[in-house]
Amino acid sequence: MVREEVTVSTRTLQWKCVESRADSKRLYYGRFVLSPLMKGQADTIGIAMRRALLGELEGTCITRAKFDNVPHEYSTIVGIEESVHEILMNLKKIVFRSDLYGTLDASIRVRGPRYVTAKDIILPPSVEIVDTTQHIAILTEPVDLCIELEIERGRGYFMKTPNNHQDGSYPIDAAFMPVRNANHSIHSYGNGNEKQEILFLEIWTNGSLTPKEALYEASRNLIDLFIPFLHAEEQDINPNGEDNPNRQTVPLFIFHDELDHDHMKKEKIFKRIFIDQLELPPRTYNCLKKSNIHTLLDLLSKSQEDLMKIEHFRVEDVNQIFEILQKGFTIDLLQNKNMF
């Protein structure tokens, strides 16, 4: 357990982790403080962060398992202590840490007698198991256990639609949420117009993310959700609330003329443009975000070689980024090792 003194500044908004611990491989806890806030701001931030932590973060789960020669979900297999249903419930409990996109295949191929745990799962390179001791089944006789698995990344709780199971394939409801629980509390101090607030935020995770990582991801997701409002054009709507037929459409990128100005002005402009505006494919976008590339300035500081070092990045992804920048900004990254 780590404890730190809470420092309150009356001038600058500051945050700090005041407690952090790992109760087990699948239970992490963190407590954070943000201050000083004006009256009412702590509740605004606390409610938004809790909803983002519980509903907006992505996780990885097993979503389907396929057995050989199993007639239905509640079958028992000779030489295996658990029923098929019990094995499915044990698979549901396994927690993964990954950056995968889409659906990947995994498998279990073991022969008894032995205990079968999460360590026996054959995984793709981009996935790792948080707790390899998670129990799956007990093989009491020299029988083979072969299970084909599907692993997906998503958010929230997703209930699979049952199929007829004729091929021995069974869907598994997925709880993608990496945050188990999140609470916020508020401490007020001062009097009258000088009253201020301190926000305390508690986060419990399943081990696939640390509380600090979860807080960071939730914050980025909230920022992304509000970005469209930064581009709202009030003059596009007339006083009667109807669309103005004579309005001029403002393009997404309006900085072409400004790009010819001095270096410092370019840098300020690029810092205000988030990669969310580039309309990148989801996989490319997520890879960049995982590498802490959030703005156009971050992206322009990378060379082609730098981008190719990003995990799961392909030549096609780099070429697509070049095309988007060339079209939207008349920028050719291939000509420069670094733009800034």
Side-chain angles (χ1 to χ4, degrees):
M1 182 186 298
V2 178
R3 291 186 179 274
E4 301 176 18
E5 293 294 329
V6 178
T7 304
V8 178
S9 168
T10 57
R11 296 181 180 179
T12 333
L13 196 63
Q14 296 179 346
W15 79 275
K16 181 181 289 187
C17 177
V18 293
E19 185 176 350
S20 176
R21 67 174 185 262
D23 294 330
S24 69
K25 290 183 178 180
R26 288 183 286 171
L27 182 57
Y28 284 43
Y29 171 80
R31 188 165 183 253
F32 306 88
V33 61
L34 179 67
S35 67
L37 297 164
M38 296 175 62
K39 184 178 179 181
Q41 289 182 336
D43 222 13
T44 301
I45 298 172
I47 292 172
M49 285 302 303
R50 185 176 187 274
R51 293 182 66 90
L53 286 163
L54 294 174
E56 296 295 328
L57 301 189
E58 293 185 340
T60 304
C61 294
I62 296 174
T63 56
R64 185 169 294 275
K66 182 177 181 180
F67 296 78
D68 292 333
N69 303 318
V70 174
H72 57 81
E73 181 179 346
Y74 297 97
S75 301
T76 57
I77 304 174
V78 176
I80 300 179
E81 190 170 300
E82 291 81 2
S83 67
V84 172
H85 177 75
E86 290 172 326
I87 294 175
L88 293 175
M89 292 301 99
N90 290 335
L91 292 172
K92 182 178 178 179
K93 297 175 184 176
I94 298 174
V95 178
F96 297 92
R97 183 184 293 113
S98 78
D99 295 322
L100 71 84
Y101 301 96
T103 302
L104 295 181
D105 296 326
S107 63
I108 299 175
R109 299 182 181 277
V110 294
R111 182 170 180 81
R114 60 173 296 174
Y115 287 91
V116 182
T117 67
K119 186 178 181 180
D120 296 304
I121 300 177
I122 303 171
L123 294 168
S126 58
V127 183
E128 64 177 292
I129 297 172
V130 170
D131 183 7
T132 57
T133 64
Q134 167 63 43
H135 174 73
I136 296 176
I138 299 176
L139 278 57
T140 57
E141 298 180 15
V143 296
D144 294 322
L145 177 63
C146 298
I147 311 175
E148 301 296 330
L149 304 172
E150 287 186 3
I151 300 176
E152 294 183 35
R153 186 174 178 84
R155 63 186 181 92
Y157 189 86
F158 186 69
M159 296 184 65
K160 285 285 188 175
T161 304
N163 58 14
N164 55 19
H165 311 322
Q166 290 181 356
D167 62 348
S169 177
Y170 300 94
I172 300 176
D173 295 341
F176 291 111
M177 301 90 75
V179 175
R180 289 187 171 189
N181 195 15
N183 290 328
H184 81 277
S185 57
I186 301 168
H187 171 70
S188 301
Y189 62 97
N191 296 311
N193 294 332
E194 300 297 324
K195 196 168 186 178
Q196 294 181 318
E197 296 177 338
I198 301 175
L199 172 65
F200 290 92
L201 192 64
E202 295 181 287
I203 304 172
W204 291 262
T205 71
N206 64 2
S208 61
L209 290 177
T210 65
K212 186 176 180 180
E213 290 171 336
L215 184 62
Y216 175 82
E217 290 294 331
S219 301
R220 290 302 315 176
N221 287 346
L222 281 177
I223 292 171
D224 293 345
L225 288 173
F226 285 107
I227 281 177
F229 295 108
L230 298 177
H231 307 287
E233 296 286 336
E234 293 183 359
Q235 64 269 28
D236 287 347
I237 302 177
N238 65 27
N240 297 324
E242 299 175 354
D243 289 342
N244 183 354
N246 299 320
R247 71 183 181 188
Q248 295 182 347
T249 303
V250 180
L252 181 61
F253 301 119
I254 58 175
F255 304 107
H256 293 81
D257 295 336
E258 297 183 66
L259 294 180
D260 295 330
H261 291 187
D262 60 275
H263 170 84
M264 291 301 295
K265 190 166 185 178
K266 290 181 186 179
E267 187 169 346
K268 289 181 180 179
I269 292 170
F270 294 151
K271 194 173 182 179
R272 297 199 305 265
I273 304 173
F274 290 86
I275 62 171
D276 310 69
Q277 300 171 249
L278 301 182
E279 299 183 359
L280 297 166
R283 198 185 67 81
T284 305
Y285 170 81
N286 288 328
C287 285
L288 293 175
K289 298 277 278 190
K290 288 290 184 181
S291 299
N292 292 321
I293 298 175
H294 304 294
T295 66
L296 184 57
L297 181 61
D298 296 335
L299 183 58
L300 294 179
S301 67
K302 306 294 182 183
S303 66
Q304 182 180 12
E305 292 76 16
D306 295 331
L307 294 178
M308 286 302 300
K309 293 176 183 178
I310 296 176
E311 190 174 7
H312 308 306
F313 233 57
R314 305 170 303 185
V315 176
E316 294 83 357
D317 302 324
V318 177
N319 292 337
Q320 192 168 30
I321 290 174
F322 290 158
E323 291 174 4
I324 291 173
L325 292 176
Q326 178 68 37
K327 181 179 179 181
F329 295 92
T330 62
I331 297 172
D332 188 358
L333 298 190
L334 290 171
Q335 302 299 322
N336 299 283
K337 172 67 178 175
N338 293 97
M339 292 294 294
F340 299 104

